Amino acid sequence: MAESSKDFSIVGKKTPRIDAYERVTGQAQYTGDLQLPGMLYARVLRSSVPHAKILSIDTSKAEKLPGIKAIIHHGNAQVPWSSGGLTHRRYIFNNPVRYVGDPVAAVAATDRHIAEDALKLIEVKYEKIPHVLDASEALKPDAPKITPNGNLSVGKGPFSAPIEESWGDVEQGFKEADNIFEDTYITKHVNNAQIERRVSIARWDAGKLTVYASTQGVSNARTDIAKDFGLPLSKVRVVCKYMGGGFGNKNQAQDYDYMAAMLAKVAGQAVKLEFTREDDFIGMHGRWSSEQHYKAGVKNDGTITAVTLDAVTNMGAYRKQSGNLSGTDFYNIPNFKKVIKPVHTNTVVAANYRAPAYPQSVFGFASFLDQIAFELGVNPLDMFLRNRAQKSKGKLAYTSNELEQCIIQGANRIGWREKWHKPGETAGPKKHGIGMALGGYPFRPGLGAATIRINPDGTAHVLVGVTDIGTGAKSTMAIIASEALGIPLNQIQLTNGDTDVTPYSVGESGSRTTAFTGPAVVAAADDVRKQIFNLAAEQLKVNAEDLDLQKGEVFVKNHPAQKRALSQVVERAGELIGRATTNPNFPKEMDGKCFSAHFAEVEVDTWTGHVRITRYVAAHDSGTILNRLTAESQIKGGVVQGIGMAFSEELIIDKVTAIPINPNYRDAKVPTHLEAPEIEVIFVENYDPYGVYGGKVVGEPPITAAVATIANAIFNATGKRLKELPMTPDKIVRAVQV
Amino acid sequence: MGEKSQDAKFSRRAFLKGVGGGAIGTAVVSTGLINADVAKAYVSESAGGARDKSAVALKVNGKTYRVEVEHRQTLAEVLRDELGLTGTKIGCDRGECGACTVIIEGRNMYSCSQLAVWMQGKEILTVEGLAKGDKLDPLQEAFIEHDGPQCGFCTSGQIMSGKALLLKNPKPTEAQVRRGLSGNLCRCGNYNREVAAVLAAASKTS
Amino acid sequence: MKSFENIDVKNVKEAVRLLEKFQQQKKTAAVVGGGSEYLQLMKDHVVEPDYLINLKTIPGLDYIQEERGAFRIGALAKLADIETHPTIQEKLLILSSAAGEAASPQIRNAGTIAGNLCQRPFCWYFRSANFTCLRKGGQVCYTVTGDSRFHAILGAGPSYIVHPSDTAPALVALGAKIKIAGPAGEKTIPLEKFFVLPSVDYKRENVLGPGEIVTEIIVPTPNPGSKGFYYKVRERLAWDHAIVAVATIIESSGTAVRDARVVMGGVAPIPWRAGKAEEFLRGKAINEANAKRAGEIALEGAKPLKDNNYKISIARDLIQRAVLASV
């Protein structure tokens, strides 16, 4: 067992965000708030057909509109977008177009209304090609080919297809089982739907490109832009100080950043390219949909002996991410084999949205286990406890694992044993149900960098490349800095999100900021503390090793009365700079995971199909919690997103015309205040030896178990298993009438 | 050759090299951005033509602003682009998310769904008008304390709806707060916190 | 949005006159009340008027008055004011409930009762610039081959929209009347006759002709012993149109029904009066069997599309619930 956390001075407390003031006063400048002198406004024209060759683009009428400054399309601006397509070459404008929404042209004008007017005047002639919308149909040999290599999305390395993973011997495992179960679960494409629409401002100054992006990762956005524009990194700057959510679809640079840059180059003026909300639903990616077929061998007491997963994930027209399904990660599965086929279809692209490979497959697998529990007559709590993950992939130890405590504490809090009943037992049309599921997310530290400057007055300036998509990453880094330096938080300033000024950060995704950049902040703090102690040692006439710095005061460890204010120590030293690039890791024989157990009580009105969540408990093992205030908010927020995915969200594409029919908030149905119950959060804290201050990850995990938890509660209420998301009133009403 | 043109030469070549190299054909270089065909990409200099514009006096946060606006410009647009009051955000421009919520004559409304020309003579309150100098509104303080903003993009709207609610109902119940804010989406899912903040602010002001 | 000119008017006559004038000039013009819904349509290029006639500048058209056993509500009365009006809550609770179910608080603060009744359908094909559907002058109602989960099960064809208003079913249940001003003067008609079936004219939802605008709603107070019930089934509890809505006013002697008005929303292109169910209920005892039967009768003849048959049982069960709650 790892050591328990020591007494921290600020880590573990509830600390308000360091930039909450700017956000609540409206002073925070998001990308769309920025105005540059002479700035033009740009809009994107998109394909209205799902699969077609562009025969011609006639911009002559649009060009005549007063105020139009530049129009680009594949004919005159063929810029590769490397991160936009990882298995076949993708450009910012493609010919053929491969889905309704594929960009065809972009226009820059003196104001946004003129830009919009111009879109209607651009005439595009298409020659239609047969298209395919359904993933399973796309795999058939006679399906229209979307990429030169066909529709199975084969690429290199992590983007090979199919995705295969196995250990043990599943045939043997099935033989050892008392029962074999099989079932299929289906999930849909769900858009990240963050409230800030995509926007990018590009400006060229003497050959240097600055992009004010709405991005989760300024460092990798810069890398992308430099690579695809053929510029040295020193000639590219990406800035993002505040951004209004992304949940995974704003990492790296995107095609609209490139379009803004191209338009700015051509027009010779700064260009702000803005997405409409419809652009955002269609032109940007969402969570990949899936069809998951599970087979499990199980003993009579519910113990799993073997599991296979055969699945198809729909990546849309281009491949940007893995298409993986990892919901089986939280269980002990001695014999396992999964084969997943990421597939291209002529639809909106799918890539990262919070815990990309998890909520859809946790829905599948945890529903599957819950169903098995029912058929065996085992209480789901015992089913999940019995099969919870204790070793990774059947053999690796975890760096820390409090999953058992999460299950037990969560179950106690909600009163599982007292409240659980057999499925469908409530009389009358309004039925009570209780359900649970396990979730979590990978944890692994990695490459990060940080700079810390100590000002002559003893205040500190921390520079990190993080953006802050709402997780509170800026605050977390400041808290880590405060803890590591021994300087109070209110004497620390944090600068973030500017590649000209702040060092590398992996980008806020995969819950990696704390794990990657956190250690760098600690190391940079250690670096500058050494310099401080060297100075103070001379002044106090002691050895440097005898000194400590806490609360802004340098003092002798064994004789604390002998001390000096930090400001006095450094006032004549000029500027002290601490820096570090770190890349911690843990042994190959270990695996890192965050774990969670969620529990929900619901009331299902079987006459109307409406479900009310009456109680929700989320128990999380995230190691040490660095900021209790923001960590709790992350858990609550993830659960609410899970509620949306469970009940109402999906991108609906008309089967005849291939046009998305609900690319807006009113019909894509993101949950409102009235859908969110009070969510109770339990943190089971255990110091992880490989995490900064023992912390693991917080941001991604909370959505993973939510959908399955609600689905299992609905099953307990009605006795009917819903195997397809979202669980809308029509599905519930139909299910209970069978 | 001066430094300036050398820069230009470097940047142009480097730019072209990247854009014209690799898997991209010569199409871009030959019809691309530096020679005559660039006329196809770069269009005329003329400014926008005359469209229907009107002068309107907007009373925002106690100040009167006189602006010339096109009739099709919404209040949200004008607040942000003409008056520089970017605290009000636009999330959907369709009245479906609430990020643009402001208070007009005491009622919370979507500023994206009101034309600027309709606002002549109306008292408008935006998030920038809540604080009195350095002193934050109790709602703003409560939002900081209760972690109201995650990404912060919906925050102004949530606060304005909270403000409108408390102006009409200084001691709301939790259910009334949730309903009062129900026209404001929060994709970060921070609803529990926003409601807690409004309730806390209500309990502070007597 | 396409460029247009906004004209503020001072009174109803001016609005009517302008509508006439622009029609003669072959220009498109539309009146706008609260504006939230109409601006949306304009931003999505579903409508592109050359002129917008702003009615908000007409003073004194937002009244809510009670006189001689009826309420007179001005066309520009805001939904939020109707919802919270103490006398409406006391005497026309069903209308207060229905108004309070519309959209979201911000829209209720801007939206008017006339606007709510005149709103265009929220069918996703109709609202999308990418589809020129039958109602917009095209050839095809895309619901027939497309996703019909939210569309009509009664009274529909060749267009399958449902009327999206919440106040409409409640007002029809209340027996409201609507006053219309136009080039030929003023007229008052039962609200029930205001709405138009697609089989009559699939390009519009109400009878308003060129130059006509709504000026007032007149709502009689229900008889003593009446209980009103507005229930809306939806996916999200805010900002969502009805999957099915039921507005009932049951006047009973305590145990037996004296008179019944049963109107459904979300199931038809117009607020749908379940006349046969009303007839069945008159004189009957309020019990589970009769309430259930009333629901069944109300849905007889329902013609579901590919994706919306679930609406039948929801509507049926909701009517049962409403009747039983009227005791």
Side-chain angles (χ1 to χ4, degrees):
Chain A
M1 285 297 279
E3 52 169 303
S4 51
S5 53
K6 59 183 169 89
D7 257 24
F8 294 119
S9 60
I10 184 173
V11 162
K13 299 202 167 41
K14 290 194 176 197
T15 307
R17 290 166 202 259
I18 58 173
D19 56 4
Y21 181 93
E22 285 89 332
R23 297 185 201 264
V24 304
T25 53
Q27 287 174 31
Q29 293 268 288
Y30 295 76
T31 306
D33 299 332
L34 299 174
Q35 304 261 35
L36 300 183
M39 188 176 79
L40 302 174
Y41 291 82
R43 286 284 303 273
V44 177
L45 178 70
R46 298 183 181 278
S47 163
S48 54
V49 291
H51 201 192
K53 279 203 206 82
I54 299 176
L55 296 176
S56 66
I57 301 183
D58 182 357
T59 57
S60 54
K61 289 205 187 82
E63 289 168 30
K64 292 200 182 68
L65 206 60
I68 297 297
K69 294 294 189 180
I71 304 182
I72 56 174
H73 50 75
H74 82 100
N76 62 14
Q78 222 179 22
V79 183
W81 181 21
S82 303
S83 60
L86 296 163
T87 55
H88 67 270
R89 173 62 97 182
R90 185 177 186 184
Y91 300 90
I92 59 174
F93 303 115
N94 293 280
N95 192 0
V97 291
R98 294 188 173 88
Y99 71 103
V100 172
D102 214 347
V104 168
V107 170
T110 48
D111 79 52
R112 65 168 65 86
H113 292 284
I114 297 174
E116 185 184 343
D117 289 341
L119 294 182
K120 298 179 95 184
L121 299 173
I122 299 176
E123 287 169 8
V124 186
K125 280 209 178 68
Y126 296 101
E127 183 185 280
K128 290 191 188 171
I129 305 171
H131 66 270
V132 58
L133 302 178
D134 179 81
S136 301
E137 287 298 313
L139 282 174
K140 296 202 171 126
D142 55 348
K145 263 165 79 167
I146 295 169
T147 84
N149 298 329
N151 299 337
L152 180 64
S153 179
V154 183
K156 296 201 189 67
F159 300 101
S160 54
I163 299 168
E164 293 192 39
E165 194 180 10
S166 62
W167 60 82
D169 177 347
V170 286
E171 288 315 312
Q172 183 58 31
F174 286 133
K175 285 204 186 85
E176 288 165 15
D178 297 321
N179 311 271
I180 306 282
F181 296 94
E182 280 192 72
D183 218 340
T184 303
Y185 290 84
I186 294 175
T187 69
K188 304 287 172 56
H189 181 114
V190 170
N191 190 278
N192 304 35
Q194 75 299 326
I195 308 281
E196 182 195 30
R197 297 169 302 176
R198 251 149 279 277
V199 58
S200 187
I201 304 179
R203 181 173 94 185
W204 296 85
D205 302 289
K208 178 171 176 183
L209 171 62
T210 300
V211 176
Y212 298 91
S214 170
T215 180
Q216 295 171 231
V218 292
S219 304
N220 34 27
R222 180 176 73 148
T223 308
D224 283 345
I225 292 171
K227 172 176 172 188
D228 287 327
F229 278 79
L231 294 167
L233 289 168
S234 51
K235 289 291 188 183
V236 179
R237 176 185 181 204
V238 179
V239 182
C240 181
K241 301 286 186 180
Y242 289 91
M243 55 97 80
F247 315 112
N249 67 4
K250 285 182 176 175
N251 208 352
Q252 304 187 263
Q254 308 291 342
D255 55 354
Y256 52 91
D257 297 306
Y258 291 22
M259 290 176 202
M262 285 296 279
L263 287 166
K265 185 74 173 163
V266 165
Q269 291 168 251
V271 169
K272 178 192 271 186
L273 192 151
E274 298 172 311
F275 269 26
T276 61
R277 178 53 58 184
E278 183 173 329
D279 283 330
D280 212 287
F281 270 98
I282 302 179
M284 205 44 215
H285 63 249
R287 184 183 298 287
W288 50 84
S289 56
S290 67
E291 190 173 316
Q292 310 161 38
H293 184 79
Y294 292 97
K295 180 173 167 187
V298 185
K299 291 223 183 306
N300 283 329
D301 68 355
T303 309
I304 296 172
T305 60
V307 171
T308 61
L309 167 62
D310 283 283
V312 173
T313 47
N314 189 343
M315 307 312 291
Y318 302 94
R319 179 87 170 278
K320 282 176 87 182
Q321 284 299 336
S322 74
N324 204 349
L325 296 166
S326 305
T328 46
D329 276 4
F330 312 110
Y331 303 91
N332 244 17
I333 301 175
N335 304 287
F336 179 75
K337 182 167 160 74
K338 82 176 173 190
V339 177
I340 300 172
K341 297 191 176 126
V343 174
H344 286 297
T345 60
N346 294 110
T347 60
V348 174
V349 176
N352 287 347
Y353 170 21
R354 199 168 192 163
Y358 287 91
Q360 63 275 61
S361 52
V362 171
F363 163 72
F365 193 62
S367 297
F368 182 53
L369 289 184
D370 190 67
Q371 182 67 27
I372 291 172
F374 168 66
E375 301 198 19
L376 292 178
V378 172
N379 187 311
L381 178 59
D382 297 318
M383 183 82 186
F384 285 110
L385 259 175
R386 189 160 289 143
N387 290 297
R388 75 188 185 283
Q390 292 175 67
K391 276 212 189 309
S392 170
K393 303 193 204 297
K395 56 186 201 307
L396 302 175
Y398 291 107
T399 57
S400 65
N401 177 356
E402 293 293 343
L403 181 53
E404 186 184 19
Q405 275 304 304
C406 286
I407 298 172
I408 291 170
Q409 290 187 30
N412 285 341
R413 175 75 72 88
I414 203 166
W416 180 275
R417 294 280 180 207
E418 301 79 41
K419 297 215 178 119
W420 188 83
H421 52 75
K422 291 218 179 80
E425 268 190 352
T426 320
K430 290 194 182 172
K431 301 200 184 287
H432 167 272
I434 188 167
M436 66 172 286
L438 305 184
Y441 199 75
F443 154 67
R444 181 168 284 279
L447 179 66
T451 317
I452 299 181
R453 293 153 53 178
I454 305 294
N455 299 318
D457 65 355
T459 57
H461 191 164
V462 177
L463 298 114
V464 283
V466 306
T467 53
D468 183 338
I469 61 174
T471 53
K474 282 159 71 176
S475 307
T476 309
M477 293 306 114
I479 286 167
I480 292 173
S482 172
E483 189 72 46
L485 283 169
I487 297 176
L489 187 64
N490 63 5
Q491 290 176 25
I492 295 178
Q493 185 199 333
L494 187 122
T495 294
N496 73 308
D498 182 344
T499 57
D500 264 9
V501 169
T502 56
Y504 171 80
S505 170
V506 67
E508 227 172 316
S509 64
S511 290
R512 291 179 289 180
T513 306
T514 304
F516 283 47
T517 305
V521 172
V522 173
D526 284 345
D527 185 34
V528 82
R529 273 165 67 100
K530 282 198 183 69
Q531 299 171 52
I532 291 169
F533 294 152
N534 284 340
L535 279 174
E538 274 181 42
Q539 296 163 10
L540 289 169
K541 309 273 186 272
V542 294
N543 290 327
E545 311 83 69
D546 298 330
L547 292 168
D548 195 359
L549 163 59
Q550 296 295 336
K551 298 195 173 80
E553 280 192 332
V554 180
F555 60 95
V556 179
K557 282 187 262 208
N558 294 332
H559 197 234
Q562 212 182 341
K563 61 184 176 176
R564 213 168 152 88
L566 177 59
S567 49
Q568 281 184 296
V569 173
V570 301
E571 66 188 340
R572 267 184 262 278
E575 188 166 285
L576 300 186
I577 299 182
R579 65 186 199 21
T581 305
T582 52
N583 197 350
N585 215 331
F586 47 68
K588 272 206 304 288
E589 319 82 62
M590 301 197 87
D591 191 9
K593 278 274 184 332
C594 231
F595 292 101
S596 69
H598 286 202
F599 301 81
E601 273 185 86
V602 299
E603 181 191 82
V604 179
D605 187 332
T606 54
W607 282 9
T608 64
H610 190 259
V611 179
R612 203 165 61 94
I613 301 175
T614 54
R615 187 117 188 259
Y616 200 102
V617 173
H620 276 251
D621 161 27
S622 290
T624 309
I625 301 301
L626 302 182
N627 183 347
R628 203 162 297 279
L629 189 67
T630 53
E632 264 183 32
S633 301
Q634 282 293 289
I635 307 299
K636 290 171 186 263
V639 170
V640 172
Q641 289 187 348
I643 288 172
M645 185 173 158
F647 285 136
S648 54
E649 292 180 48
E650 68 176 301
L651 184 70
I652 303 171
I653 296 183
D654 181 71
K655 290 198 172 57
V656 172
T657 59
I659 299 174
I661 55 178
N662 66 341
N664 50 62
Y665 278 129
R666 71 168 183 274
D667 288 329
K669 314 234 183 187
V670 162
T672 70
H673 267 278
L674 301 180
E675 271 66 57
E678 182 62 38
I679 295 154
E680 300 166 60
V681 179
I682 299 171
F683 285 122
V684 178
E685 287 188 70
N686 186 16
Y687 190 97
D688 188 293
Y690 297 96
V692 64
Y693 293 117
K696 291 194 284 190
V697 306
V698 177
E700 311 260 356
I703 194 179
T704 59
V707 184
T709 300
I710 294 166
N712 289 342
I714 292 176
F715 174 74
N716 184 259
T718 61
K720 304 291 179 186
R721 177 69 59 188
L722 289 169
K723 301 184 200 166
E724 183 175 328
L725 292 178
M727 298 177 286
T728 44
D730 58 327
K731 293 196 179 86
I732 292 175
V733 165
R734 285 200 192 97
V736 299
Q737 288 176 357
V738 164
Chain B
M1 298 250 233
E3 194 184 44
K4 186 173 176 222
S5 50
Q6 226 166 23
D7 269 352
K9 210 166 127 192
F10 169 75
S11 71
R12 185 183 285 169
R13 194 190 305 147
F15 179 71
L16 270 188
K17 190 166 145 227
V19 170
I24 310 159
T26 53
V28 177
V29 177
S30 62
T31 66
L33 304 160
I34 56 157
N35 55 11
D37 280 16
V38 78
K40 281 211 179 85
Y42 184 83
V43 196
S44 74
E45 281 281 355
S46 60
R51 288 179 303 279
D52 293 299
K53 276 201 189 206
S54 292
V56 65
L58 294 174
K59 278 202 262 186
V60 186
N61 302 330
K63 258 176 83 169
T64 301
Y65 299 83
R66 277 168 234 285
V67 282
E68 287 243 329
V69 299
E70 269 190 77
H71 292 206
R72 60 180 170 175
Q73 284 182 278
T74 61
L75 174 62
E77 236 186 297
V78 172
L79 286 171
R80 290 172 47 75
D81 294 340
E82 314 288 339
L83 307 190
L85 297 170
T86 56
T88 303
K89 309 297 180 197
I90 300 178
C92 70
D93 202 31
R94 294 291 189 277
E96 294 170 353
C97 77
C100 68
T101 302
V102 298
I103 295 179
I104 302 171
E105 300 192 309
R107 302 184 194 250
N108 55 329
M109 289 164 67
Y110 299 135
S111 57
C112 76
S113 302
Q114 297 295 323
L115 297 179
V117 292
W118 293 344
M119 294 292 110
Q120 178 74 30
K122 303 218 187 291
E123 299 272 351
I124 299 167
L125 183 66
T126 72
V127 67
E128 289 92 342
L130 288 181
K132 306 263 181 283
D134 274 342
K135 181 128 180 43
L136 293 182
D137 187 285
L139 261 173
Q140 291 169 307
E141 284 176 346
F143 264 69
I144 294 175
E145 197 186 319
H146 291 266
D147 209 29
Q150 283 194 26
C151 79
F153 205 73
C154 78
T155 300
S156 320
Q158 302 277 354
I159 290 178
M160 296 317 286
S161 285
K163 183 73 177 172
L165 173 73
L166 293 182
L167 284 173
K168 283 211 162 80
N169 180 359
K171 291 276 179 248
T173 62
E174 193 201 314
Q176 286 170 331
V177 173
R178 292 172 72 214
R179 192 159 191 276
L181 264 51
S182 60
N184 292 79
L185 284 183
C186 172
R187 186 42 159 178
C188 295
N190 213 23
Y191 294 124
N192 283 183
R193 301 300 211 198
E194 289 141 12
V195 170
V198 175
L199 285 170
S203 67
K204 279 213 186 88
T205 38
S206 48
Chain C
M1 291 188 267
K2 202 192 89 170
S3 222
F4 60 89
E5 187 185 331
N6 174 79
I7 303 175
D8 294 336
V9 293
K10 296 276 185 322
N11 54 56
V12 170
K13 275 205 173 63
E14 199 186 336
V16 171
R17 202 175 31 80
L18 281 172
L19 282 172
E20 272 194 295
K21 173 179 118 174
F22 292 131
Q23 211 212 356
Q24 279 158 16
Q25 292 176 354
K26 303 250 192 295
K27 296 268 169 73
T28 46
V31 293
V32 66
S36 315
E37 190 238 346
Y38 209 74
L39 286 189
Q40 259 209 26
L41 289 167
M42 290 169 71
K43 287 173 185 173
D44 285 330
H45 305 286
V46 176
V47 295
E48 295 192 303
D50 299 311
Y51 295 93
L52 215 55
I53 298 168
N54 178 24
L55 302 176
K56 287 191 282 301
T57 41
I58 301 177
L61 207 50
D62 56 354
Y63 51 88
I64 302 173
Q65 288 162 8
E66 190 189 3
E67 47 177 77
R68 288 174 298 193
F71 281 82
R72 299 165 62 102
I73 304 176
L76 295 183
K78 296 205 171 44
L79 294 169
D81 294 338
I82 294 172
E83 181 198 354
T84 56
H85 195 276
T87 331
I88 295 214
Q89 285 182 340
E90 189 200 324
K91 300 191 178 170
L92 293 181
L93 183 59
I94 189 180
L95 179 59
S96 163
S97 308
E101 289 287 327
S104 69
Q106 287 91 322
I107 291 179
R108 296 196 285 273
N109 278 336
T112 64
I113 184 73
N116 191 261
L117 294 172
C118 297
Q119 68 184 287
R120 304 303 310 272
F122 272 84
C123 163
W124 37 39
Y125 297 107
F126 177 77
R127 291 260 163 179
S128 167
N130 295 316
F131 292 90
T132 307
C133 71
L134 192 65
R135 190 164 288 269
K136 289 190 278 191
Q139 300 302 309
V140 167
C141 174
Y142 287 92
T143 331
V144 176
T145 49
D147 194 312
S148 57
R149 68 182 80 178
F150 293 129
H151 291 79
I153 53 172
L154 287 161
S159 154
Y160 293 86
I161 55 121
V162 293
H163 199 281
S165 165
D166 286 298
T167 58
L171 286 168
V172 169
L174 286 164
K177 293 204 191 57
I178 186 165
K179 197 185 262 187
I180 299 168
E186 265 192 343
K187 63 184 176 194
T188 304
I189 62 173
L191 183 64
E192 227 183 311
K193 301 262 185 286
F194 179 70
F195 301 102
V196 174
L197 281 173
S199 53
V200 171
D201 185 346
Y202 54 74
K203 289 226 190 98
R204 56 197 181 127
E205 298 80 54
N206 58 57
V207 297
L208 290 176
E212 291 188 328
I213 65 177
V214 174
T215 56
E216 187 179 82
I217 318 291
I218 303 141
V219 193
T221 6
N223 294 334
S226 298
K227 270 218 171 85
F229 182 72
Y230 183 74
Y231 198 92
K232 181 177 178 179
V233 174
R234 56 224 286 200
E235 280 189 11
R236 296 194 300 182
L237 292 175
W239 245 321
D240 217 352
H241 291 98
I243 292 175
V244 174
V246 156
T248 57
I249 302 194
I250 313 261
E251 187 195 328
S252 71
S253 65
T255 46
V257 176
R258 275 208 287 262
D259 198 8
R261 308 267 296 191
V262 178
V263 186
M264 292 184 278
V267 298
I270 64 175
W272 193 261
R273 259 192 85 180
K276 289 208 176 72
E278 294 175 357
E279 210 179 292
F280 167 79
L281 282 169
R282 280 190 203 103
K284 299 273 189 321
I286 297 177
N287 58 38
E288 202 175 306
N290 287 332
K292 199 163 171 212
R293 187 78 192 111
E296 285 163 6
I297 292 172
L299 273 302
E300 273 167 11
K303 288 201 179 72
L305 298 165
K306 184 165 50 77
D307 305 308
N308 64 3
N309 66 343
Y310 69 103
K311 287 198 182 195
I312 296 176
S313 68
I314 294 181
R316 187 193 63 215
D317 293 341
L318 223 52
I319 289 174
Q320 180 183 342
R321 214 173 250 177
V323 171
L324 285 174
S326 306
V327 169

